[in-house]
Amino acid sequence: MLDGENGILFRSNIMPQIRQILPPHHKHCDELFLTAEEAAQREDWKACANANARFAQALLAHFDAEETLLFPVFESATGMRQGPTQVMRMEHEQMRKLMEQLDAALSARATETFAGVAETLLILMQQHNMKEENILYPMCDQTLGDQVDQLAAQLNARLEEAACQTSA
């Protein structure tokens, strides 16, 4: 689970549920994104590049954890393959494309473009996270029963591994 102060995962003897693992990681990604945005506003492109790379790595790790661990288990347990996880995957793809546009604006050192794309990405992330935190994650915790503890541990381990790579 993420420690909100320094973005480092910590271990707990209590097995957390999905909604205790992933929302703090959303916050961690938001903080990394804010650092990149602030650097772009200052036109500190080196700091922006470093912060944006850390943000991208964390967000892509989050997407990977959901798409390869959480979503398949949820879909298998519920039989819902055209429901909330399909919407989340589509939004992940939209965010990936916006992240590519951020990279292009960063490479071009285009402050205005970076700010515009960042605003669009921020709105999409906020809406996306609200859906996950208020709908999907509680559904997972309720429907996955005995699988929740093992799945939460796998998600935590995957995000912890990504955090170690990000800080390396």
Side-chain angles (χ1 to χ4, degrees), residues 37-57:
E37 272 190 301
E38 290 171 345
Q41 289 170 356
R42 294 189 315 270
E43 297 187 356
D44 182 347
W45 298 111
K46 183 176 181 181
C48 183
N50 290 335
N52 195 57
R54 291 182 66 221
F55 160 70
Q57 188 173 3

Side-chain angles (χ1 to χ4, degrees), residues 97-146:
K97 288 178 181 171
L98 288 167
M99 290 166 60
E100 289 173 7
Q101 292 176 27
L102 272 184
D103 285 341
L106 174 61
S107 294
R109 297 183 175 200
T111 307
E112 300 272 330
T113 303
F114 190 96
V117 173
E119 183 177 356
T120 303
L121 180 56
L122 178 62
I123 291 168
L124 182 56
M125 285 191 308
Q126 289 172 335
Q127 292 172 346
H128 177 84
N129 292 349
M130 290 290 290
K131 287 182 246 179
E132 286 185 336
E133 293 173 14
N134 294 315
I135 299 168
L136 182 60
Y137 298 162
M139 285 176 71
C140 290
D141 286 337
Q142 287 180 327
T143 60
L144 297 180
D146 294 341

Side-chain angles (χ1 to χ4, degrees), residues 45-76:
W45 298 111
K46 183 176 181 181
C48 183
N50 290 335
N52 195 57
R54 291 182 66 221
F55 160 70
Q57 188 173 3
L59 190 61
L60 293 174
H62 186 92
F63 293 167
D64 179 65
E66 289 179 339
E67 292 171 358
T68 63
L69 295 173
L70 180 63
F71 296 172
V73 172
F74 177 79
E75 292 165 347
S76 178

